[in-house]
């Protein structure tokens, strides 16, 4: 019984003691666990004495020496994340060379490459970097021609990045990709005028495409009619020859020729307007009739 009680008490003490020892060791800088994309900056008496950026378990005494034991009492440890941050600035106001008020949206990404500069060179480096990007956009994009603003975004984005990078390096940032994602008009009257011109232009293009299609169809139809007419003329030219040859073959058999000519004569009589039918019966439907052409 006493063994079971001792065992339970031991487990409870272990569960309490291990976190306490772990926390106490970290506070006394006996060891530190550094996460991924994280840098620890050690200061002592207001001065930076070292940084720790290797992920995993680290022993401050091996890098900072005996000064690591003084940090909990006379210094401070700053934790800085070096992950990539992305920002988007909307409606940066610029004017084109033609005087059109424009709104520019710019996206950029950055990460902290110098934690010491990030902590101590600027009291609010994130906001200062945002203001610096905004200023660079206004400087690089103001008084440009409207078509340049709308079409040359890649080149303008590179100019903004080049303008901002030196200052951002001083504040501990490395500026990554920078891209002007949106250039929009801010004047309502100008927007409506542009919409009207675009609609008219689309109508013109649509009408032009429709007319071009009709012209192509007309050309195809004309060619088809021309080919049909040519073939019909050719058929009419050879028809007398074909008919003559057929009649010549039929005349070789007198019985067939006589029946054919009688049949042709009867067809010609039926097609004519004036004709008399003589009936040998008592009623119009009785007997065999004789057809005469008048």
């Amino acid at each position: 019984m006493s063994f079971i009680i001792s065992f339970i008490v031991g487990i409870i003490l272990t569960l309490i003691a291990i976190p306490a020892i772990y926390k106490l060791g970290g506070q006394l800088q006996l060891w530190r666990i550094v996460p991924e994309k994280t840098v620890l900056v050690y200061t002592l008496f207001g001065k930076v004495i070292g940084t720790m950026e290797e992920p995993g378990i680290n022993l401050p005494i091996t890098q900072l020496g005996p000064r690591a034991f003084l940090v909990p009492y006379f210094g401070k440890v700053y934790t800085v994340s070096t992950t990539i941050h992305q920002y988007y600035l909307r409606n940066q106001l610029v004017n084109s060379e033609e005087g059109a008020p424009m709104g520019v949206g710019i996206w950029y990404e950055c990460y902290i490459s110098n934690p010491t500069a990030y902590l101590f060179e600027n009291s609010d480096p994130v906001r200062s970097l945002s203001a610096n990007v905004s200023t660079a956009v206004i400087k690089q994009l103001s008084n440009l021609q409207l078509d340049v603003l709308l079409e040359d975004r890649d080149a303008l984005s590179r100019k903004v990045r080049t303008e901002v990078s030196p200052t951002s390096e001083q504040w501990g940032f490395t500026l990554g990709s920078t891209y002007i994602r949106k250039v929009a008009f801010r004047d309502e009257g100008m927007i409506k005028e542009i919409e009207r011109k675009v609609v008219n232009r689309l109508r013109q293009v649509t009408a032009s495409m429709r007319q071009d299609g009709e012209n192509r169809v007309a050309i195809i139809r004309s060619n088809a009619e021309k080919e049909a007419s040519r073939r019909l003329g050719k058929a009419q030219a050879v028809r007398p020859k074909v008919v003559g040859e057929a009649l010549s073959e039929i005349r070789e058999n007198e019985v067939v020729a006589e029946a054919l000519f009688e049949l042709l004569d009867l067809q010609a009589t039926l097609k004519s307007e004036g004709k008399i039918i003589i009936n040998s019966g008592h009623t119009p439907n009785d007997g065999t009739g004789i057809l005469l052409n008048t």
Side-chain angles (χ1 to χ4, degrees):
M1 187 66 180
S2 60
F3 173 76
I4 296 175
I5 296 174
S6 301
F7 181 74
I8 294 174
V9 171
I11 292 176
I12 295 174
L13 291 177
T14 301
L15 293 176
I16 296 174
I18 289 177
I21 293 173
Y22 174 77
K23 186 175 182 180
L24 182 62
Q27 290 179 347
L28 295 177
Q29 301 304 320
L30 298 177
W31 59 78
R32 290 300 300 265
I33 297 177
V34 181
E36 290 280 350
K37 297 289 183 181
T38 302
V39 177
L40 302 181
V41 180
Y42 283 79
T43 61
L44 182 63
F45 301 118
K47 294 183 179 180
V48 177
I49 60 174
T51 61
M52 198 174 298
E53 60 185 29
E54 187 68 25
I57 300 176
N58 289 266
L59 301 177
I61 191 171
T62 60
Q63 301 182 32
L64 305 177
R67 294 180 300 176
F69 298 111
L70 298 178
V71 171
Y73 308 103
F74 305 103
K76 187 175 181 181
V77 180
Y78 295 89
T79 302
V80 180
S81 174
T82 58
T83 56
I84 295 177
H85 299 275
Q86 298 178 343
Y87 302 94
Y88 183 61
L89 301 180
R90 302 177 183 276
N91 293 327
Q92 304 302 304
L93 307 182
V94 299
N95 290 323
S96 68
E97 187 182 50
E98 296 82 356
M102 308 292 292
V104 178
I106 184 167
W107 171 89
Y108 65 94
E109 64 180 13
C110 61
Y111 65 94
I112 299 172
S113 56
N114 188 341
T116 303
Y118 169 77
L119 290 173
F120 303 111
E121 292 295 332
N122 193 311
S123 60
D124 192 349
V126 175
R127 186 170 297 180
S128 297
L129 177 62
S130 176
N132 198 13
V133 172
S134 177
T135 302
V137 169
I138 296 173
K139 178 181 177 182
Q140 295 294 337
L141 275 69
S142 292
N143 299 322
L144 294 178
Q145 293 182 357
L146 191 57
D147 55 346
V148 175
L149 280 174
L150 296 175
E151 297 176 2
D152 296 345
R153 299 185 188 183
D154 292 338
L156 296 175
S157 299
R158 288 194 293 271
K159 287 184 177 180
V160 171
R161 186 176 184 276
T162 303
E163 176 79 17
V164 176
S165 290
T167 309
S168 65
E169 294 288 346
Q170 295 178 4
W171 297 336
F173 287 107
T174 292
L175 193 64
S177 299
T178 305
Y179 187 64
I180 298 172
R181 295 181 60 181
K182 184 178 181 181
V183 179
F185 294 96
R186 293 188 292 113
D187 186 83
E188 292 294 332
M190 182 174 293
I191 293 173
K192 292 181 179 178
E193 181 66 18
I194 291 174
E195 289 178 349
R196 187 185 65 79
K197 290 182 178 180
V198 170
V199 170
N200 291 336
R201 181 57 180 162
L202 289 176
R203 287 176 178 172
Q204 293 175 358
V205 171
T206 303
S208 177
M209 294 174 63
R210 183 180 300 169
Q211 184 62 43
D212 183 66
E214 291 177 354
N215 292 338
R216 291 176 181 272
V217 171
I219 292 173
I220 294 173
R221 184 181 300 168
S222 177
N223 292 334
E225 290 177 352
K226 186 184 297 181
E227 180 65 17
S229 178
R230 187 181 67 81
R231 291 179 178 272
L232 183 59
K234 185 177 180 180
Q236 290 178 349
V238 300
R239 181 175 181 275
K241 180 182 177 181
V242 174
V243 173
E245 292 176 354
L247 292 176
S248 178
E249 293 179 359
I250 291 173
R251 287 185 63 85
E252 293 178 356
N253 190 328
E254 294 181 359
V255 177
V256 175
E258 184 178 355
L260 175 63
F261 288 125
E262 287 180 358
L263 180 60
L264 293 176
D265 185 53
L266 181 59
Q267 288 180 345
T269 301
L270 292 174
K271 289 182 180 179
S272 63
E273 295 180 355
K275 46 186 174 292
I276 297 174
I277 299 175
I278 298 175
N279 196 335
S280 60
H282 298 288
T283 64
N285 296 326
D286 294 340
T288 302
I290 299 175
L291 183 62
L292 297 175
N293 192 14
T294 59

